Amino acid sequence: MSYDYVIAGGGSAGCVLAARLAENPDLTICLVEAGGHGKEFFIRMPAGNGFVFGNPKLDWGYVTVPQKYLDDRQIYFARGKALGGTSIVNGMIYMRGVAADYDHWRQIGLEGWGYDDVMPYFLRSEGARDRRDDYHGIDGPLKTEAARNFGIIDQAFIDAAVAAGHQHIEDFNGARRTGVSRADSTVHKGVRQSSAIAYLKNPPKNLTILTGKHIAKIEIENNRAVGIETITGETIRAAREVIVCQGAFATPQLLMLSGIGPADHLKSQGIKPLADLPGVGAHLADHVDVSIQYASDEIKYSHAKHQRLDMAAMLMAKWLWNGSGPGGGSLFSVVLFHAFDDVSLPELEVFMTPMIIDENLGNGDKENAPLLQKLGRKLLVRGRKIARPGVQIDINQERPRSLGTVRLASSNPLEHPLIDPNYLSDANDLDQLVRGVDVMREVMAQPQIASYVTGEVGVWANARSRDEIISAIKQTAYTGHHPCGTAKMGADHDNMAVLDSKLNLRGIDGLRVCDASAMPTQITGNLYATVVMMAEKAADMIKQSA
């Protein structure tokens, strides 16, 4: 099999890139994905996230090495295993980075990646239902709308935040970011807008999509990528380019399995180095998440009510009938951004959820559900535990200084890599989170929201001193699900840069990377919209170089 372009990985970026490159009928494109078609019932249904999250058929289920600064706990990373990649399991929040994030990329030597440069690609990709202004596109494939499951507790949280001094803003993707608001979601007519659902509804004839094909390595001849080889020994040739789109963990793993990465590490795994690039698998950045839980006696206001059998059946029936009801909405509806210093660069992104959940699957065994909750226990939930009424505050640190690594565990492509985010290794990150806990406790103390809760629970109930708060942080922190930077773009003088500003891999011809691993720094917000933007821009760059 031979094609002009072979795209290794049908994730958030890969589906976009495949669709856009295939718009040229003179090109042949092959999209290769290890998982399935990504059209399963519970992928399409936003409330069915718990049936995807942790499901080995749909979730790669990565686990970190023990985290030294989190009491040696291991953290679970859900990563989508189907067309659409992690957009089949994400929280469906549509959030870009702030302008300063992308302007910083340009300032470090990446021409063409400033805010004014990337904004046209955000507009091209978006199809907003509720926005009509210069900050939003309305005709793009990625449909967005206001978060559906916005209720009494969500409004109470906004009112409490305003009472505590936070600004109420109308649009996180507009002129201002710091403040509190209802979020936009990547949902359309009750259907999750994964990149596969958004971009690959009607694949053209010149696009071949292969699923169930796990890639073992990139084929390199005479210092040029010429194709990929699957674990079954099948070779798929690329006449022009191979483009790797396997995400922050699998992309550096594939590069290293192919002889591209830190030479000493490759040799230690019995792999011959073809390109000594120390930045492959380095610079892992993630939004660390600290979770504070508040109990409540008011289950009628909580998403947890949908786990009751009769409520779950009603939710499912409404969604099946016409995509209506809470089943067609995302888990998260309200977000708060807090800035300690510069309102244009908030340090914290806070998610409020009107129920208590334990999302880190590394935390203990699965909780047995009562008979009447067996159907509903995974609706509007991600985790092993049964949801309980209450309020959960998830404080995400947006630009942590603590950076980690991805390394090979072995030369076996089926063995997960060693993932070490190195959370809280920089003392500044911990200090910032301690301050963030104080900020959110002030919000939760306001009568507008305090009347709905009965107080903090778990390790937070008695955490008052700085040492006690630090201990609670270390016991509850987990991933914000936004890993990036492990094959980053960079200027010519950056010896840790894996890619140039055109996403070309340094040292090997005919090879590019386009996914979150290519991001040179972490951004202020969720990653999905930015990854889609990068793929839109990459498609233009590839067309121009063809």
Side-chain angles (χ1 to χ4, degrees):
M1 293 185 288
S2 182
Y3 304 86
D4 290 315
Y5 295 95
V6 173
I7 300 172
S12 299
C15 292
V16 177
L17 199 52
R20 290 306 193 192
L21 290 179
E23 289 175 344
N24 181 345
D26 296 327
L27 296 175
T28 55
I29 318 296
C30 183
L31 179 63
V32 186
E33 166 59 34
H37 53 71
K39 297 179 182 177
E40 281 83 356
F41 177 86
F42 286 113
I43 289 175
R44 296 179 58 81
M45 179 184 183
N49 211 345
F51 291 92
V52 180
F53 192 98
N55 179 345
K57 292 182 180 179
L58 299 171
D59 178 359
W60 287 102
Y62 292 108
V63 179
T64 70
V65 301
Q67 292 300 284
K68 178 180 178 181
Y69 300 97
L70 298 185
D71 295 342
D72 287 328
R73 293 162 51 230
Q74 290 182 278
I75 306 301
Y76 185 88
F77 268 100
R79 299 282 96 186
K81 186 181 181 182
L83 286 175
T86 300
S87 66
I88 73 168
V89 72
N90 66 12
M92 291 165 281
I93 291 178
Y94 183 79
M95 189 81 70
R96 304 168 193 157
V98 296
D101 292 328
Y102 309 111
D103 285 343
H104 176 63
W105 291 5
R106 175 175 47 78
Q107 289 158 9
I108 62 176
L110 295 171
E111 290 298 323
W113 289 96
Y115 178 71
D116 290 341
D117 301 308
V118 303
M119 191 61 183
Y121 295 102
F122 281 119
L123 300 179
R124 177 191 293 182
S125 64
E126 186 187 11
R129 185 194 70 181
D130 307 312
R131 308 286 187 187
R132 293 292 185 274
D133 56 44
D134 292 343
Y135 292 99
H136 293 276
I138 59 174
D139 298 320
L142 183 61
K143 307 302 181 184
T144 66
E145 62 183 44
R148 177 180 295 188
N149 287 314
F150 182 91
I152 289 174
I153 300 294
D154 301 283
Q155 185 61 55
F157 179 78
I158 290 177
D159 294 342
V162 171
H166 299 270
Q167 184 178 10
H168 181 219
I169 61 178
E170 293 299 322
D171 181 7
F172 285 123
N173 298 301
R176 292 186 299 274
R177 173 62 58 88
T178 297
V180 63
S181 184
R182 184 177 184 174
D184 286 355
S185 62
T186 51
V187 175
H188 179 59
K189 295 183 178 179
V191 177
R192 167 192 287 274
Q193 296 299 288
S194 74
S195 63
I197 291 171
Y199 278 83
L200 295 178
K201 287 186 176 70
N202 300 297
K205 292 180 179 180
N206 61 326
L207 172 58
T208 299
I209 300 174
L210 302 177
T211 57
K213 305 281 187 184
H214 193 126
I215 299 170
K217 66 177 181 178
I218 303 161
E219 291 281 354
I220 298 171
E221 297 174 1
N222 299 319
N223 219 46
R224 182 177 183 84
V226 296
I228 57 99
E229 181 182 318
T230 69
I231 58 172
T232 59
E234 185 178 15
T235 297
I236 302 169
R237 304 282 288 188
R240 299 193 183 197
E241 291 186 19
V242 173
I243 309 160
V244 181
C245 304
Q246 296 195 162
F249 303 142
T251 283
Q253 181 186 22
L254 179 60
L255 292 176
M256 289 187 281
L257 289 171
S258 307
I260 302 165
D264 290 344
H265 175 61
L266 299 183
K267 290 175 185 176
S268 73
Q269 301 297 326
I271 298 171
K272 179 183 177 182
L274 299 180
D276 183 8
L277 292 176
V280 174
H283 204 264
L284 170 61
D286 186 27
H287 290 153
V288 64
D289 183 315
V290 172
S291 184
I292 309 175
Q293 297 176 336
Y294 293 79
S296 173
D297 298 326
E298 301 278 7
I299 193 169
K300 64 183 177 181
Y301 300 127
S302 172
H303 289 336
K305 67 185 178 185
H306 298 294
Q307 293 196 328
R308 210 175 73 185
L309 182 61
D310 57 336
M311 297 290 285
M314 186 180 301
L315 179 151
M316 295 276 286
K318 284 184 176 180
W319 186 82
L320 285 168
W321 176 250
N322 60 4
S324 66
S330 60
L331 177 68
F332 307 101
S333 296
V334 174
V335 178
L336 181 151
F337 279 89
H338 179 72
F340 292 113
D341 301 312
D342 181 352
V343 294
S344 69
L345 271 174
E347 291 89 352
L348 303 177
E349 180 181 12
V350 182
F351 305 98
M352 189 286 295
T353 313
M355 66 177 170
I356 295 174
I357 54 176
D358 186 0
E359 191 172 314
N360 182 35
L361 298 192
N363 290 351
D365 296 327
K366 183 176 179 179
E367 184 177 351
N368 290 324
L371 179 62
L372 293 182
Q373 285 185 302
K374 285 192 179 294
L375 171 63
R377 63 169 297 151
K378 292 185 179 181
L379 295 175
L380 285 167
V381 171
R382 302 195 303 195
R384 285 181 173 161
K385 305 293 185 180
I386 297 169
R388 304 190 302 279
V391 167
Q392 184 156 315
I393 299 296
D394 286 291
I395 305 171
N396 276 230
Q397 186 173 44
E398 294 304 273
R399 293 176 304 280
R401 295 183 184 180
S402 303
L403 300 176
T405 59
V406 176
R407 292 287 178 256
L408 296 176
S410 75
S411 59
N412 180 359
L414 295 177
E415 186 172 0
H416 283 179
L418 301 174
I419 300 168
D420 182 8
N422 206 21
Y423 291 127
L424 304 186
S425 56
D426 189 299
N428 177 76
D429 292 349
L430 187 57
D431 289 341
Q432 204 172 79
L433 288 170
V434 170
R435 294 170 68 192
V437 169
D438 290 341
V439 169
M440 295 317 301
R441 279 178 161 171
E442 182 180 2
V443 171
M444 293 301 295
Q446 302 300 316
Q448 290 87 345
I449 189 71
S451 61
Y452 292 100
V453 297
T454 58
E456 296 174 5
V457 293
V459 298
W460 290 99
N462 299 307
R464 289 296 174 263
S465 70
R466 177 179 170 83
D467 286 346
E468 290 167 343
I469 291 171
I470 288 174
S471 177
I473 287 173
K474 290 183 176 182
Q475 292 179 68
T476 60
Y478 61 108
T479 175
H481 303 286
H482 301 149
C484 65
T486 48
K488 68 170 189 167
M489 291 187 286
D492 291 343
H493 58 77
D494 183 353
N495 64 2
M496 294 298 286
V498 176
L499 313 171
D500 65 15
S501 63
K502 303 291 188 184
L503 299 171
N504 294 301
L505 192 123
R506 298 181 183 276
I508 301 290
D509 295 330
L511 182 58
R512 295 190 209 227
V513 171
C514 182
D515 55 36
S517 72
M519 292 170 55
T521 63
Q522 184 58 276
I523 63 166
T524 310
N526 306 58
L527 301 193
Y528 181 35
T530 291
V531 170
V532 170
M533 172 277 289
M534 293 173 70
E536 288 272 13
K537 182 173 171 59
D540 269 7
M541 292 190 294
I542 292 167
K543 290 174 182 177
Q544 290 164 9
S545 66

